[in-house]
């Protein structure tokens, strides 16, 4: 596939930024978008925001990556993988953004982060790997009983988002290995937009065409999807997955911070400790898991096995 001029220009721009800065910028963009979107909830609801965000992001990424029909027809089960990834993305986004209506963003981000955390611990055979799990469990207990009441509906939606995100990581790991560049992601997001359209249109109605709503959706799409994906993809070319995992462990704390600054969502100090515990558990799991695979294993392109990590570059 020949990259478009826009793709090359974007790659050149992010190429000047240090890799840790790219990852942290992606983390902040994801959580900023999640905190920025509720301002139009009264007009179009969470489902309306999700539909517009996915639609804008899907169109922009398709323009950037220019997916080819040949890519889907020449790779075995490529269509099934893209369809599955898109369905899980739609479920994740709807559950995540609905959860923000009921409980603080920091709590949603923390619970949702348990999805990839569970995958990091899956298949563990060492006693030492139980320590991060215990730390994360303690963090969740602090979060749930730390002072500010958390609506059960919000907790259930956040848990559903965690399950969908974990499933998306597993499905899109294959998509990242078989489809070049961001073609698979662009098509998966566009499919997710189509799946969320009935619910989004039913909830938002004609207000979806309001200029203010469209502007907010465009900001959320760029901040939470297009830029984080591009930044993380470039960062993963320069830093090992272990470092990437440590840096992205800041997402729950970033969610709590943006929830406080933009939405005015307060948390009690035990809940802040719970968020910190989950983040530390993720760091510990990443560091403990970094030595499980022999370093000699490389992909066909000669790059260390970064592909499963690429699948988590797009979030929320």
């Amino acid at each position: 596939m020949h990259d478009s001029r826009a793709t090359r220009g974007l790659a050149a721009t992010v190429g000047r930024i240090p890799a840790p800065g790219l990852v942290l910028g992606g983390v902040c963009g994801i959580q900023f978008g999640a905190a920025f979107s509720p301002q139009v909830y009264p007009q179009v609801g969470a489902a309306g925001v999700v539909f517009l965000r996915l639609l804008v992001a899907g169109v922009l990424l398709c323009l950037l990556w220019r997916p080819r029909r040949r890519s889907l027809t020449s790779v075995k089960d490529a269509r099934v993988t893209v369809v599955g990834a898109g369905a899980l993305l739609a479920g994740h986004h709807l559950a995540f953004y609905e959860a923000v209506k009921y409980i603080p963003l920091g709590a949603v981000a923390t619970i949702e982060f348990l999805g990839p955390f569970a995958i990091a611990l899956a298949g563990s055979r060492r006693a030492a790997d139980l320590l991060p799990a215990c730390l994360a469990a303690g963090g969740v207990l602090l979060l749930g009983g730390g002072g500010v009441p958390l609506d059960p509906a919000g907790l259930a939606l956040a848990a559903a988002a965690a399950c969908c995100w974990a499933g998306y990581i597993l499905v899109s790991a294959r998509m990242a290995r078989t489809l070049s560049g961001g073609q698979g992601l662009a098509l998966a997001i566009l499919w997710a937009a189509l799946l969320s359209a009935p619910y989004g249109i039913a909830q938002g109605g004609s207000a979806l065409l309001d200029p203010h709503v469209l502007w907010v959706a465009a900001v959320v799409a760029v901040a939470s999807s297009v830029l984080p994906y591009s930044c993380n993809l470039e960062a993963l070319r320069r830093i090992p997955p272990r470092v990437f995992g440590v840096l992205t462990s800041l997402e729950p704390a970033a969610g709590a911070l943006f929830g406080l600054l933009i939405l005015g969502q307060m948390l009690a100090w035990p809940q802040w400790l719970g968020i910190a515990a989950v983040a530390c558990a993720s760091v510990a799991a990443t560091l403990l898991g970094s030595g499980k695979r022999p370093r000699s294993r490389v992909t066909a392109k000669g790059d260390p096995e970064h592909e499963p990590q690429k699948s988590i570059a797009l979030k929320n």
Side-chain angles (χ1 to χ4, degrees):
M1 183 192 73
H2 297 289
D3 291 341
S4 67
R5 182 177 300 176
T7 304
R8 294 194 299 270
L10 183 60
T13 301
V14 299
R16 302 187 187 99
I17 304 173
L22 291 174
V23 180
L24 294 177
V27 167
C28 290
I30 288 168
Q31 299 305 325
F32 168 79
F36 191 68
S37 60
Q39 64 175 286
V40 293
Y41 279 10
Q43 293 172 265
V44 298
V49 173
V50 167
F51 164 58
L52 289 176
R53 172 204 162 161
L54 289 171
L55 181 62
V56 172
V59 170
L60 289 177
L61 286 171
C62 282
L63 291 174
L64 281 172
W65 292 106
R66 297 183 182 180
R68 307 295 175 87
R69 182 179 179 182
R70 183 172 61 252
S71 300
L72 293 179
T73 57
S74 62
V75 178
K76 182 180 179 181
D77 296 330
R79 291 182 179 178
V80 175
T81 304
V82 169
V83 167
L88 288 165
L89 271 179
H92 166 266
H93 282 52
L94 288 170
F96 186 96
Y97 279 76
E98 287 283 357
V100 176
K101 291 173 20 180
Y102 297 97
I103 60 178
L105 175 59
V108 177
T110 302
I111 296 170
E112 182 255 5
F113 201 73
L114 295 177
F117 175 75
I119 292 178
L121 290 178
S124 173
R125 297 294 184 271
R126 300 180 302 176
D129 293 324
L130 295 177
L131 295 176
C134 294
L135 185 59
V140 171
L141 290 176
L142 284 172
L143 187 66
V148 177
L150 299 181
D151 192 301
L155 292 173
L157 287 166
C163 293
C164 287
W165 190 244
Y168 170 75
I169 290 173
L170 297 174
V171 171
S172 63
R174 173 178 171 80
M175 182 173 69
R177 288 192 298 267
T178 55
L179 295 175
S180 62
Q183 291 187 81
L185 178 77
L187 292 173
I189 292 181
L190 205 56
W191 174 240
L194 293 176
L195 290 178
S196 64
Y199 189 28
I201 293 173
Q203 197 171 101
S206 60
L208 292 171
L209 301 177
D210 183 273
H212 176 66
V213 172
L214 292 173
W215 176 77
V216 170
V219 171
V220 172
V222 172
S224 294
S225 299
V226 179
L227 290 181
Y229 173 75
S230 302
C231 290
N232 289 346
L233 192 64
E234 176 63 25
L236 280 165
R237 294 191 178 103
R238 299 191 242 159
I239 58 176
R242 172 179 57 83
V243 178
F244 181 83
V246 170
L247 292 171
T248 55
S249 298
L250 294 173
E251 282 196 15
L257 183 60
F258 279 106
L260 175 64
L261 295 178
I262 297 179
L263 300 175
Q265 295 174 333
M266 303 294 294
L267 292 172
W269 68 264
Q271 292 171 312
W272 282 96
L273 286 178
I275 291 173
V278 172
C280 290
S282 179
V283 172
T286 300
L287 295 177
L288 288 171
S290 62
K292 289 183 179 180
R293 292 184 180 180
R295 295 183 64 85
S296 60
R297 289 184 64 184
V298 295
T299 63
K301 295 181 179 180
D303 194 29
E305 287 189 312
H306 287 181
E307 295 300 339
Q309 289 289 342
K310 288 182 183 179
S311 65
I312 64 173
L314 175 77
K315 292 190 69 177
N316 306 339

